[in-house]
Amino acid sequence: MSNKIANHLQNIWKFRLSYLFITPFMLCFLAFIVVPVIAAVVLSFTYFNAIERPRFIGWQNFQYLISQDLLFLKYALPNTFKFALIVGPGGYIAAFLLAWLISQLPGKLQKWFSLAMYTPSLTIGIAMSIVWLPMLTGDRIGYLNSILLRLGIIDVPQLWVTDPDYLMNAMIVVTLWSSMGVGFLAMLAGILNINKDYYEAARIDGMKSRLQEIWYITIPSMKPQMLFGAVMAIVATFKTGAIGVELSGMNPTPAYSGHLIINHIEDFGFIRFEMGYAAAISVFLLIIMYASNRLSWGLFGTKGDE
Amino acid sequence: MWRQLLLYRRNRLQTMDGFQKLLTVILIVISIFMLLPIVYIFNHAFKPYHELFVYPPTFIVKEPSLQNFNELLSVTARSTVPMIRYIFNSVFVSVASVVLVTIVSALCAYPLAKHKFPGATFVFSSILLTLMFAPEVVQIPRYLVVSQLGIMNTYFAHLLPMMAMPVGVFLLKQFMDQIPDALLEAARIDGANEFTVFLRVVIPVCMPAVATVAILAFQNSWANIETSSLFMLDDEMKSFAFFLSTLTNNLGNNVAMQGAAAVASLIMFIPNLIVFVILQSKVITTMAHSGIK
């Protein structure tokens, strides 16, 4: 038995250099990702107002969250699901389609089109307010209003970002516009990397349409990239929380129409200083994200040695 | 691989069929939609005030002027912290984080890809797992960690949280998997130690992936306002992105400083665009190996 442990230690010692290599990253990783995640889980079982010591209260935060927190149940949760269900798969499918369309073109054009699609995600956060606010401003000076008024489609300027009925749609459009990020590039690269012989062979075997090609060759050959794209899309979708606040210029958003789980966390964490409760909400969000990632794992994960 | 493909494709340029022509037109329309806001950012920065608020609004600037640049300068001259300080903070933090993130991620990715040390699979799967999390959800405990470490209001608080970038390690590891072991063996037989192998063989081969990670790190830190708003107490420690966000707050119903804000966002956008355009082809090469298996 002790021999076994000694053997194991010897083995670890043999690889001491490898451990040295990973140390700098692992230290940051532990300090800023692992420890915060564990701390969030621990804090979620406490009452903590950032001044007094955390007080253990068991499941109370979670019970309150899923049974009594009306703002959460009525707005944050359904809004997040609506937002995620449209933006997540929508952006993902759009990314695949665009990547495929681009891959059908000659090389030079590919480069420019992929640059054009990626640029919006370079500006996200920076130019959001500069570009989209004037576009969606509620008076007749707003670009969208002025165009629609001139075309006679609407008679009165619409309050695109301050009217609860429109805010969510505005958020979805803006996020979709900027969703061609890393995942899109991965899919494009995946498609471009597929061996052209496969298509050749399929054509000889009698494959006719491009749709068949996509379904039987393209998608199966790039499953790993599809999975990476899906993971990236899910993370991006759940973390875009600030957009409603940015667009409407108000926190909370008008009638909570753009209230997402991230906003709810910020509300409790940084405005009301109920850190324990805020931590419980983030744990809840982590679980949702994990579950949706497992789902995409099930859809696109390669099984065994495939 | 990419280059070969490019050549192969270029030979086919002459034989663009009807489908491809139709496709080009469709993609041009989509690209215009994607690029319009960027064109707008450029034009907006040069619009004099009477064009900024004209009705109906104009898209393209008619009488370009540098008035807005002057306004930004005067706004910042009046503020207690000179703008150059904010820009310095942003540039310093971005450059340092690009350098540190790529080094740290590459150091970690190399043994994960090429040494089968005890615990390697565990480390990699935990990195894979955190790929699924948005760091934003653990903001609050992160804040506690930073304050417990006693690095509030220092450049460390700008940099260290950025350095834990799981996606960087992931992309580099996937790329390094493709390096043939024989190459590393040859270097070792020639007497290179692990560190030399890493520096002289692995890194040069992995340049596309390193460039990609550098872009991602740059994007992360250049536009980052979180570390400034959460971890920095003094104004002179905050970043330019943060300063810009204070200018554009409630912009929707505010006339003052529209011009300055327009210029500021142009300044924020340009470095991002330049870095990406320069390194773009490397990114695509890296992404080919990005799949999760």
Side-chain angles (χ1 to χ4, degrees):
Chain A
M1 187 63 195
S2 66
N3 208 4
K4 214 174 174 186
I5 294 172
N7 244 343
H8 198 63
L9 285 178
Q10 212 172 19
N11 201 15
I12 289 181
W13 182 244
K14 210 175 79 197
F15 282 102
R16 58 193 180 280
L17 206 61
S18 312
Y19 293 106
L20 192 67
F21 269 75
I22 67 167
T23 306
F25 179 81
M26 289 316 285
L27 285 180
C28 295
F29 184 69
L30 283 174
F32 297 104
I33 296 184
V34 177
V35 170
V37 169
I38 295 171
V41 175
V42 173
L43 277 182
S44 66
F45 293 103
T46 64
Y47 173 81
F48 181 41
N49 56 14
I51 302 164
E52 300 164 61
R53 288 185 69 81
R55 182 159 47 82
F56 182 77
I57 53 167
W59 290 97
Q60 273 184 39
N61 283 330
F62 290 96
Q63 277 167 358
Y64 182 81
L65 182 67
I66 53 174
S67 63
Q68 282 164 54
D69 188 343
L70 281 182
L71 283 183
F72 180 76
L73 294 173
K74 232 176 125 184
Y75 301 106
L77 197 59
N79 280 348
T80 306
F81 268 101
K82 184 182 172 196
F83 184 75
L85 280 177
I86 299 177
V87 172
Y92 185 69
I93 293 168
F96 176 75
L97 278 180
L98 278 176
W100 184 80
L101 290 177
I102 289 175
S103 76
Q104 300 301 305
L105 290 173
K108 246 209 170 124
L109 289 174
Q110 279 172 11
K111 197 177 158 168
W112 289 109
F113 281 127
S114 55
L115 178 64
M117 301 302 160
Y118 189 72
T119 13
S121 65
L122 290 174
T123 60
I124 184 145
I126 306 170
M128 192 62 73
S129 38
I130 278 289
V131 177
W132 288 99
L133 278 184
M135 187 86 77
L136 300 171
T137 305
D139 47 28
R140 64 195 186 98
I141 291 177
Y143 284 78
L144 188 60
N145 275 334
S146 100
I147 292 168
L148 292 180
L149 281 173
R150 225 177 318 163
L151 293 178
I153 296 174
I154 51 172
D155 307 322
V156 197
Q158 300 290 321
L159 300 165
W160 298 112
V161 289
T162 42
D163 185 330
D165 290 340
Y166 291 123
L167 177 62
M168 177 56 90
N169 297 334
M171 285 162 63
I172 288 172
V173 171
V174 175
T175 317
L176 276 179
W177 167 77
S178 63
S179 64
M180 300 300 132
V182 178
F184 159 74
L185 291 178
M187 287 198 222
L188 179 61
I191 297 178
L192 291 178
N193 243 24
I194 297 171
N195 194 338
K196 295 286 169 294
D197 297 345
Y198 292 169
Y199 295 107
E200 210 72 37
R203 219 160 286 148
I204 293 166
D205 285 351
M207 194 173 279
K208 293 265 159 38
S209 71
R210 281 189 153 97
L211 276 178
Q212 277 182 321
E213 273 185 6
I214 294 180
W215 190 251
Y216 290 109
I217 300 172
T218 314
I219 293 180
S221 321
M222 52 175 291
K223 264 191 168 184
Q225 279 86 9
M226 300 279 279
L227 180 56
F228 180 71
V231 170
M232 285 310 175
I234 290 167
V235 173
T237 309
F238 281 109
K239 81 186 218 187
T240 33
I243 184 160
V245 176
E246 266 172 35
L247 281 178
S248 65
M250 286 176 233
N251 189 16
T253 47
Y256 290 98
S257 54
H259 200 64
L260 302 178
I261 296 182
I262 291 261
N263 303 113
H264 210 55
I265 297 173
E266 268 165 15
D267 186 6
F268 278 94
F270 296 109
I271 297 174
R272 307 185 202 198
F273 284 103
E274 290 191 29
M275 298 283 192
Y277 189 59
I281 310 171
S282 26
V283 170
F284 191 83
L285 182 58
L286 276 183
I287 295 171
I288 297 181
M289 285 175 84
Y290 182 74
S292 31
N293 273 301
R294 293 291 0 155
L295 187 70
S296 50
W297 228 266
L299 286 175
F300 298 110
T302 39
K303 285 138 203 115
D305 292 329
E306 205 182 312
Chain B
M1 175 66 210
W2 174 240
R3 194 155 295 159
Q4 276 172 355
L5 205 68
L6 210 74
L7 282 174
Y8 170 74
R9 289 281 175 164
R10 200 166 285 162
N11 289 339
R12 281 183 28 180
L13 192 64
Q14 280 78 22
T15 59
M16 247 171 104
D17 53 31
F19 176 72
Q20 283 181 321
K21 279 176 191 147
L22 178 73
L23 216 59
T24 316
V25 175
I26 295 173
L27 282 172
I28 285 174
V29 173
I30 301 175
S31 305
I32 288 174
F33 174 69
M34 302 298 254
L35 289 175
L36 270 186
I38 284 99
V39 176
Y40 179 78
I41 294 176
F42 275 91
N43 280 290
H44 207 59
F46 292 97
K47 277 182 199 164
Y49 258 69
H50 63 266
E51 275 190 55
L52 278 175
F53 296 103
V54 70
Y55 177 81
T58 54
F59 202 81
I60 307 291
V61 56
K62 286 199 193 80
E63 304 161 34
S65 82
L66 293 177
Q67 189 184 322
N68 296 334
F69 290 80
N70 286 331
E71 184 183 281
L72 182 65
L73 285 179
S74 70
V75 167
T76 50
R78 266 183 280 125
S79 77
T80 41
V81 181
M83 181 170 72
I84 197 78
R85 174 78 201 213
Y86 290 119
I87 294 188
F88 168 80
N89 285 346
S90 276
V91 171
F92 172 75
V93 169
S94 308
V95 171
S97 93
V98 165
V99 173
L100 289 173
V101 167
T102 45
I103 292 176
V104 164
S105 311
L107 276 176
C108 181
Y110 172 56
L112 284 177
K114 288 300 169 195
H115 303 167
K116 292 294 151 232
F117 63 91
T121 14
F122 175 73
V123 169
F124 185 64
S125 49
S126 60
I127 289 174
L128 206 58
L129 191 70
T130 50
L131 207 60
M132 300 182 203
F133 297 155
E136 280 78 359
V137 296
V138 287
Q139 260 178 357
I140 294 152
R142 230 181 197 196
Y143 171 84
L144 298 177
V145 168
V146 170
S147 67
Q148 289 299 312
L149 286 175
I151 55 171
M152 289 293 275
N153 215 19
T154 64
Y155 286 110
F156 288 112
H158 270 307
L159 285 172
L160 292 179
M162 296 281 119
M163 277 164 69
M165 201 171 90
V167 76
V169 176
F170 172 77
L171 289 175
L172 278 160
K173 190 252 175 197
Q174 298 300 88
F175 201 86
M176 287 177 187
D177 277 342
Q178 320 290 319
I179 304 175
D181 286 327
L183 193 66
L184 305 181
E185 267 326 302
R188 286 190 195 118
I189 288 166
D190 286 347
N193 63 25
E194 272 315 282
F195 194 71
T196 322
V197 171
F198 171 73
L199 212 61
R200 293 286 176 80
V201 181
V202 175
I203 290 297
V205 174
C206 290
M207 270 334 261
V210 171
T212 309
V213 174
I215 292 183
L216 293 179
F218 183 79
Q219 263 175 261
N220 266 354
S221 61
W222 181 248
N224 184 303
I225 55 174
E226 245 167 54
T227 53
S228 293
S229 61
L230 296 180
F231 308 145
M232 297 302 136
L233 309 171
D234 295 336
D235 268 341
E236 54 267 29
M237 287 302 293
K238 295 185 173 179
S239 66
F240 186 62
F242 181 84
F243 172 68
L244 170 66
S245 74
T246 59
L247 279 186
T248 53
N249 264 354
N250 300 322
L251 200 64
N253 30 30
N254 218 341
V255 175
M257 304 219 280
Q258 280 266 17
V263 173
S265 43
L266 180 66
I267 299 177
M268 282 305 293
F269 172 60
I270 285 181
N272 252 335
L273 183 68
I274 293 173
V275 171
F276 185 73
V277 169
I278 294 174
L279 300 175
Q280 189 211 14
S281 60
K282 299 227 166 36
V283 176
I284 303 269
T285 318
T286 311
M287 290 303 169
H289 304 298
S290 70
I292 303 176
K293 282 179 192 138

